[in-house]
Amino acid sequence: MTAPGWFPDPSDPSRQRYFDGRAWTENYAPFGPPAQAVGQPSKTGMSSGLKIGLGVGAVILALIVLGSIGNSGKNSSTSSNTGSVASTAGVAPTTTKSGFTPAQDNAIAKAESYLNTSAFSKKGLIEQLVYNKFSQADATFAVEHIEASGGVDWNEQAVKKARSYLSTSSFSLQGLIEQLEYNGFTPSQAQYGANVAYGG
């Protein structure tokens, strides 16, 4: 009786074959020390060096992936914050200390400046502000705000406008009334302004 073990394969001398003590098995191996103790079939597997290498590689890969995720989160957060700052940096405040919009405040200031240097009807002043590129709504708001706060007397404006016309040209009373109406004064304001200017 032959003890179990690895022996040259009778059918292929270039390899070993395992004999179980009674018959040849289907376990083959190249010549050299068997992978395991005599009596056990050879099993192929990874060397410890290869296992260590693969383990280290896996750890490095995991660190790279985690790092890229972290940077991605930071970048998205940074870009989000940057976008937020950029989006608010160019936006004008919706209201000012007066409680009005910046456009309304500027329209009021412009209207007051015109009234300090010249005479206007309500309609004429609104049209002048629109000509200066204020919206119809902001121009109307500004003039009506000044009117409501007592900052303008349209009859007085009609008198000033009538006197201005008479200082540069000659008008009949009716012609002066019509000219004032043409400038946007109401019939009663034009009548009042022309009469006062004609009378003195």
Side-chain angles (χ1 to χ4, degrees), residues 114-145:
Y114 277 126
L115 290 173
N116 288 334
T117 58
S118 187
F120 285 89
S121 65
K122 179 178 181 178
K123 180 182 176 183
L125 186 54
I126 291 173
E127 289 175 351
Q128 183 63 43
L129 293 176
V130 172
Y131 178 78
N132 290 132
K133 306 304 181 184
F134 288 99
S135 70
Q136 183 74 36
D138 288 336
T140 302
F141 174 86
V143 174
E144 289 183 347
H145 173 76

Side-chain angles (χ1 to χ4, degrees), residues 167-191:
S167 68
T168 58
S169 187
S170 299
F171 285 86
S172 66
L173 180 60
Q174 185 60 36
L176 186 56
I177 291 171
E178 291 176 359
Q179 182 63 42
L180 292 175
E181 288 178 354
Y182 178 79
N183 289 132
F185 290 99
T186 66
S188 62
Q189 291 167 354
Q191 184 79 47

Side-chain angles (χ1 to χ4, degrees), residues 6 9 15 36-37 41 50 53-54 59 61 73 77 82 94 114 117 125 133-134 143 160 171 177 187 193 199:
W6 290 92
D9 184 357
R15 64 185 180 183
Q36 299 193 4
L50 181 58
L54 288 176
V59 171
L61 180 60
S77 173
T82 303
T94 55
Y114 277 126
T117 58
L125 186 54
K133 306 304 181 184
F134 288 99
V143 174
K160 287 172 62 176
F171 285 86
I177 291 171

Side-chain angles (χ1 to χ4, degrees), residues 91-109 134 138:
V91 177
T94 55
T95 58
T96 60
K97 290 181 180 179
S98 66
F100 305 142
T101 67
Q104 290 170 339
D105 271 346
N106 280 282
I108 291 169
F134 288 99
D138 288 336

